[in-house]
Amino acid sequence: MHRRRSGRTPLALALVAGMSLVGVGQAGAAPGALSASSAAPVAMSGPQGKQPVATGYGGAVSTVDLDASRTAIEVLRRGGNAVDAAVAASATLGVTEPYVAAIGGGGFFTYYDAKTRRVHTIDGRETAPRAMGERAFIDPATGVPLPFNDAVTSGLSVGVPGTVAQWEQVLSRYGTRGLGTLLQPAIDIAESGFTVDQEFYDQTALNADRFKDITPSRRLFLPGGQPPAVGSTFRNPDLARTYRTLAQSGPDWFYRGGLGKEIVRTVEQPPVEPGATRKVRPGLMTPADLAAYRAPYRKPTRVTYRGLDVYGMAPPSSGGSTVSEALNILENFRLAESDPVQALHYYLEASKLAYADRGRYVGDSDKVDVPLRELLSKGYAKERSCLIDPAKAAVAPVPPGSPDGSRRPCAPASGTPRALEYEGPQTTHLVVADRWGNMVAYNVTIEQFGGSGLTVPGRGFLLNNELTDFSFAPPANGTPDPNLPAPGKRPRSSMAPTLVLKNGRPLLAVGSPGGSTIITTVLQILLNRFDLGMDLPTALAAPRATQRNTPQTLAEQAFIDRYGAALRAKGHDVALFPGPPPGQIGAATGLEFLRPGLVQAVAEPVRRHGGSALVVHPVR
Ligand code: GLU
């Protein structure tokens, strides 16, 4: 997305004036002497001032949004660290990307701490209310699951939001600035406004039909009954006030105070327009659910891959375990730059197997047993990799394996394959590194574009619909489902903010939006970077394909043009990814330490109108 904001406050203007926007596209020699290639062209400057690559010292950031990146850079410039900058950037995204990021949602935060050389992951995933049972998404009137879209626009889909607790958690442990300071740039932009661009217009228009039925959403996002015109200034004084009170009163106001009560009221009694025919089901959240919310530390997933350490997000996200399992499987094969088709065949097959296990075994590990140790083990991956035929694609869906520790060589797959649940392309990802060598990869989301469609009246932010990430009903064949709703449970996510270390030092951070395609996007970028000889800008820009244990492999047109015929000859049924947006998979952000202190920040050059990479002190 790209928008030029207008009407900036002095602080925002200072951010712009003080900023150098020079980008450097070519990677220097990365630690580990990994070769760079120019296999795919990388655009050097995106539309309307955004640029996808920046290299330099003093800290670096990549987000989908110019204002969010500028906010983070200014925090770094003033001596804040990567955690401070990531919080400030995500708060700004809450203003400028209100349909994907809001304090009404949640996310996953992964952090490499340079002082201790350790990776920490903080889980801000939304939780189900305590009154939510396994059949919550079954319509009592019909006995069948609710239509997905009815569930999305409802109080029922709203999970207890995690973002504010997560901010508090990361700032109290690793931050150096108060939440009030970090919210200020976002408050300024919310107050003074920004200029609506086509992407903002399109996302509003996408939601217009339901927003018009929800009074506070209509008032905020459909001024005059229509999406705000491209070129007009969009202000959100309600959100500015909300952030300001949050800064003064702290997270207790959200979880135990007045704002919490307003959130519960919105969920219990969705503020539907008088006369609207839409049925908006109420939810089950109570003040006690909000008061019970915690953003816990989780032990990160960790696997070695080609001598590197790859860290990710453990359950309730399936991101870390699925990326890790696929990497472990891939390590059993030679992936050569000289034979990309063979490498991609292995990539698609490894992903297929890892997704089969994800569907069968991964859910909220606080509530169900997840055989995580086995899923992350080299032995189990060896067992799974035996099933890959180097010459021929397996017919998908393939069944899950048995991560029971028996480690039988080439064990036949067991169990029944599962259908892939729908997950959309929404959410956002950002990365930050600072001058001390700390780095953050952070996914924030409210699930669908526009979340539940429910704006908290007078508060300027949308509530999530994250609970639709639960399975709506057990599989008909009776196999256990680790992702059914339950009291206090977190729905399984695909978010995969990923950190890569080499010899205990920071090397790379990467992640993406895209529902269940997040995992394959991250995986493919790692493969491109560490096996296929691409530098990070090229690895990120390269055309993508996603294989999630479905009969077809879905891909971008450029991927099909380049590899489709050769992969079809191996039995892959390659078809165009339907979107949204059609033919585009993911909107990744990443960064790489080219040598200590020198960081290359990378955003999308083209997808979703390009992202924004910035560094504090660019090198030319
Ligand atoms: N709800 C999704 C997940 O947790 C993220 C939103 C999206 O990318 O669609 O995986």
Side-chain angles (χ1 to χ4, degrees):
M1 282 173 228
H2 60 282
R3 304 189 268 290
R4 284 195 181 283
R5 318 295 182 202
S6 66
R8 293 179 185 286
T9 60
L11 173 60
L13 284 168
L15 297 185
V16 178
M19 186 81 11
S20 173
L21 296 176
V22 175
V24 176
Q26 294 306 308
L34 297 155
S35 65
S37 99
S38 54
V42 173
M44 291 306 299
S45 65
Q48 300 197 13
K50 292 206 285 194
Q51 57 171 32
V53 183
T55 306
Y57 293 91
V61 59
S62 175
T63 79
V64 296
D65 177 74
L66 188 55
D67 283 316
S69 292
R70 283 171 168 162
T71 298
I73 282 291
E74 187 59 18
V75 171
L76 295 174
R77 188 191 296 282
R78 292 177 180 201
N81 68 16
V83 170
D84 301 323
V87 169
S90 63
T92 298
L93 288 170
V95 178
T96 58
E97 305 277 335
Y99 308 127
V100 297
I103 54 174
F108 295 104
F109 194 101
T110 63
Y111 170 59
Y112 169 78
D113 185 65
K115 208 184 284 171
T116 57
R117 294 202 192 173
R118 294 192 57 188
V119 172
H120 305 276
T121 62
I122 296 88
D123 170 358
R125 186 67 162 171
E126 297 88 338
T127 54
R130 284 187 271 192
M132 179 166 255
E134 191 170 297
R135 295 179 62 81
F137 289 106
I138 309 277
D139 186 344
T142 62
V144 299
L146 293 173
F148 186 74
N149 285 338
D150 288 7
V152 167
T153 308
S154 78
L156 201 56
S157 70
V158 182
V160 179
T163 292
V164 171
Q166 188 180 43
W167 285 349
E168 182 187 33
Q169 186 76 284
V170 298
L171 289 176
S172 65
R173 187 103 168 241
Y174 309 111
T176 66
R177 301 288 187 271
L179 185 59
T181 307
L182 301 173
L183 289 176
Q184 193 56 47
I187 292 169
D188 293 341
I189 296 171
E191 248 164 13
S192 55
F194 57 87
T195 306
V196 171
D197 73 352
Q198 191 63 46
E199 184 72 26
F200 189 91
Y201 176 89
D202 288 349
Q203 287 193 27
T204 314
L206 192 71
N207 278 292
D209 190 47
R210 60 186 188 140
F211 282 177
K212 77 176 169 28
D213 288 346
I214 315 285
T215 305
S217 305
R218 180 180 60 72
R219 286 201 184 128
L220 178 60
F221 296 116
L222 302 174
Q226 299 294 328
V230 173
S232 64
T233 299
F234 186 86
R235 295 188 177 83
N236 193 340
D238 287 350
L239 184 56
R241 257 194 317 276
T242 303
Y243 275 179
R244 197 171 281 122
T245 311
L246 185 62
Q248 284 156 4
S249 309
D252 262 6
W253 180 57
F254 192 100
Y255 290 101
R256 284 168 203 86
L259 182 54
K261 288 195 181 72
E262 293 172 40
I263 291 170
V264 167
R265 199 176 313 130
T266 309
V267 170
E268 274 178 345
Q269 296 164 28
V272 180
E273 273 289 279
T277 51
R278 177 186 300 275
K279 185 169 165 54
V280 182
R281 286 166 199 270
L284 304 167
M285 195 189 298
T286 66
D289 292 317
L290 273 163
Y293 188 84
R294 301 284 177 275
Y297 286 83
R298 303 272 177 203
K299 187 173 174 216
T301 61
R302 175 185 160 269
V303 291
T304 58
Y305 185 68
R306 316 273 191 217
L308 306 169
D309 289 296
V310 181
Y311 288 86
M313 195 65 229
S317 186
S318 61
S321 67
T322 313
V323 168
S324 298
E325 183 184 346
L327 289 175
N328 276 342
I329 293 171
L330 285 170
E331 235 186 11
N332 291 286
F333 301 97
R334 195 170 158 269
L335 310 183
E337 195 179 337
S338 56
D339 193 354
V341 171
Q342 190 61 34
L344 289 167
H345 170 71
Y346 288 131
Y347 154 64
L348 298 174
E349 293 302 278
S351 175
K352 205 178 270 179
L353 291 165
Y355 265 83
D357 289 337
R358 166 192 182 270
R360 170 63 186 84
Y361 298 112
V362 184
D364 179 354
S365 54
D366 285 348
K367 304 288 177 185
V368 293
D369 284 335
V370 179
L372 190 59
R373 185 196 286 257
E374 272 302 295
L375 292 176
L376 299 179
S377 75
K378 297 287 182 197
Y380 181 63
K382 183 112 191 133
E383 184 179 315
R384 296 294 271 157
S385 63
C386 280
L387 298 168
I388 295 181
D389 182 335
K392 198 166 177 316
V395 176
V398 298
S402 302
D404 53 9
S406 60
R407 307 276 175 87
R408 286 167 299 159
C410 293
S414 64
T416 318
R418 306 174 63 84
L420 186 73
E421 302 271 343
Y422 175 79
E423 285 178 53
Q426 308 80 14
T427 201
T428 193
H429 183 263
L430 63 95
V431 291
V432 187
D434 63 27
R435 70 180 87 158
W436 299 281
N438 302 303
M439 64 176 172
V440 170
Y442 188 18
N443 260 131
V444 277
T445 184
I446 60 170
E447 221 307 276
Q448 298 280 295
F449 283 126
S452 63
L454 303 177
T455 300
V456 182
R459 294 301 178 190
F461 67 92
L462 284 154
L463 293 170
N464 70 83
N465 68 297
E466 216 72 52
L467 302 184
T468 59
D469 275 358
F470 281 124
S471 308
F472 279 23
N477 59 26
T479 34
D481 187 329
N483 191 36
L484 285 168
K489 193 173 175 181
R490 293 162 194 245
R492 177 177 62 217
S493 170
S494 300
M495 290 188 274
T498 301
L499 301 175
V500 182
L501 309 189
K502 185 171 176 63
N503 301 327
R505 307 255 178 205
L507 176 59
L508 189 134
V510 69
S512 178
S516 57
T517 67
I518 291 171
I519 291 163
T520 54
T521 293
V522 167
L523 195 56
Q524 200 176 350
I525 291 170
L526 295 175
L527 188 85
N528 287 344
R529 177 67 192 91
F530 298 122
D531 290 294
L532 300 184
M534 299 180 203
D535 62 15
L536 188 60
T538 312
L540 217 125
R544 296 187 185 126
T546 180
Q547 172 44 258
R548 292 161 290 159
N549 200 22
T550 52
Q552 289 189 312
T553 291
L554 301 174
E556 296 178 335
Q557 189 58 51
F559 184 96
I560 297 172
D561 293 345
R562 204 174 295 176
Y563 307 113
L567 287 170
R568 283 183 187 123
K570 285 182 175 292
H572 296 276
D573 182 0
V574 184
L576 187 67
F577 183 74
Q584 283 189 20
I585 302 174
T589 53
L591 62 81
E592 179 167 344
F593 282 76
L594 302 180
R595 53 176 181 268
L598 180 64
V599 179
Q600 183 168 59
V602 185
E604 293 286 352
V606 175
R607 294 180 186 95
R608 306 254 197 114
H609 304 291
S612 168
L614 295 171
V615 293
V616 174
H617 302 297
V619 295
R620 285 157 216 272

